[in-house]
Amino acid sequence: MEFEGIPTTSQPQEMYQQGGIPQDLHADTGRKTLDLVFIQDCTGSQGSYISSATKNIEEICAAIFASGKLEHPEDLRIGLVAFRDHPPQDHTYVTKTTPFTSDINHVKRVLESLYASGGGDGPEAVTAALGEALNMDWREHASKMIVLIADAPPHGIGEYGDGFDDGSPDGLDPLILVRQMAQRGITLFFVACEPALSGYSYATDFYQAITTITSGLMLPLTTANLLAHAIIGSVLENLDMERLIREVGQAVAQRILGNQESVDDVARELHERLLLRNESTKKIVFDNIYKESAEAKHNVQVFTEAPNLSAARPLLKKVHGSRFTDKYLAARQHSRSSYGGYTSLGYISPAPSLPRRPSTPPSTAPAPSTSPSSPSRRVVTDFKAFSASQSTSVFGTKVASTPFSLAGNKASFGAIRNGGNSIDDEEEEDGGIKFSEGAITLDQAKRIALQSAWRGTRS
């Protein structure tokens, strides 16, 4: 069965033909700004994550500015959405929203006022929180990003014992909301608080799908100590991705929506051309702690393509056995034995620097292979956005350089650990997050292509 939904990596969707691409798809205001919303689960199990966010919010913001991505205090605005659950599952509140502000001390005070309590059944008011975040006062030309931190799914995805099995009682549907986010250029990053999240039947598949729709990432963490690292890494990678979307987005959208080329084909060519100009991006690379299975892959596809939860729910398949890899389970058991139950797994692992390809004229580049199911890829010589000078970006800064403290293509988060002392590679490897800078990956190129297509559908 086929669903109307986002443009997939296999074929474009006819529903996105709207007679042309908006001329102001990625207007450049000449100044980098970021609107960042934290959506925080405030039910009983989330105390350590609330404490971590409160403790590190100032350092998180300082690290973003230290990266050189933003210059003025007002360039960064932060909003908060705290959520619990709908009555009768919880009688305290459903959501609490703090509007965008550049006053970081105010944000910290709000975080300090939050505490973990209640929750009722397993699923929580995630959908209501997503709706609140979507309707905030986002700046039109700012980079837009949401970091959702939770260990439970929304109502209505088919979990056992769900008090609102038909979905969120406010009538909102999360699949519809995240598509609206994608159209508005809002990228969703999800911090999966493990191992609790994978105790549900479909939660990991659902969150993998909605981050895919918005071209974000799902980051599994098993300790709140790594939360600040994950947030900083996600923000800096997303700002690099936004820079490229603003540069090539209109041309990419035209290829996918106007010329009806597949996302896969356009992404492969985009990746090749960006490599040829030695494009460098920051990225989070992490060990996948989730075991691959045909059922999980099927469920992610169902959630990704379904128009709403009611259409997705009957098609979901049970995943048998543990959601985690044998490697992760063995390491987790070892950590429990060694540290009396404390574990800092789920960390972002080190990744070798990706090889940098020499800059050569596009005409000499080999054409990427195409799959039999994809339409033939035409070599387009006037795809000018892909052929920009390798030394400049849309903001006029050097592509291959960064003021962020790089050492061996790995970024140290020393500013927020060990009293501000730098962390050497060995300490980083033991401590958790690995954040690197290197050649753009094919996965990043696909995210750029998909997000560009989404933004092109907005009237």
Side-chain angles (χ1 to χ4, degrees), residues 345-359:
L345 296 175
Y347 59 85
I348 308 302
S349 65
S353 301
L354 297 175
R356 302 293 295 274
R357 296 174 58 179
S359 178

Side-chain angles (χ1 to χ4, degrees), residues 272-383:
E272 177 183 316
R273 296 202 181 216
L274 292 176
L275 287 177
L276 286 173
R277 70 184 230 191
N278 289 332
E279 184 63 63
S280 177
T281 62
K282 297 169 183 61
K283 58 184 66 67
I284 296 177
V285 184
F286 57 95
D287 284 335
N288 182 16
I289 67 173
Y290 301 120
K291 183 185 299 182
E292 292 186 6
S293 71
E295 293 81 8
K297 184 177 180 180
H298 167 83
N299 292 342
V300 172
Q301 183 176 2
V302 167
F303 281 125
T304 302
E305 297 180 349
N308 50 53
L309 289 183
S310 62
R313 210 162 38 237
L315 303 177
L316 299 175
K317 296 181 179 180
K318 285 282 188 181
V319 176
H320 302 287
S322 174
R323 285 276 185 165
F324 300 121
T325 63
D326 293 339
K327 178 181 177 181
Y328 167 77
L329 291 173
R332 183 168 172 237
Q333 183 60 41
H334 174 74
S335 292
R336 283 176 170 174
S337 301
S338 302
Y339 302 105
Y342 172 76
T343 173
S344 60
L345 296 175
Y347 59 85
I348 308 302
S349 65
S353 301
L354 297 175
R356 302 293 295 274
R357 296 174 58 179
S359 178
T360 56
S363 59
T364 65
S369 59
T370 56
S371 62
S373 60
S374 300
S376 298
R377 182 180 63 79
R378 295 179 290 112
V379 177
V380 179
T381 57
D382 61 347
F383 207 6

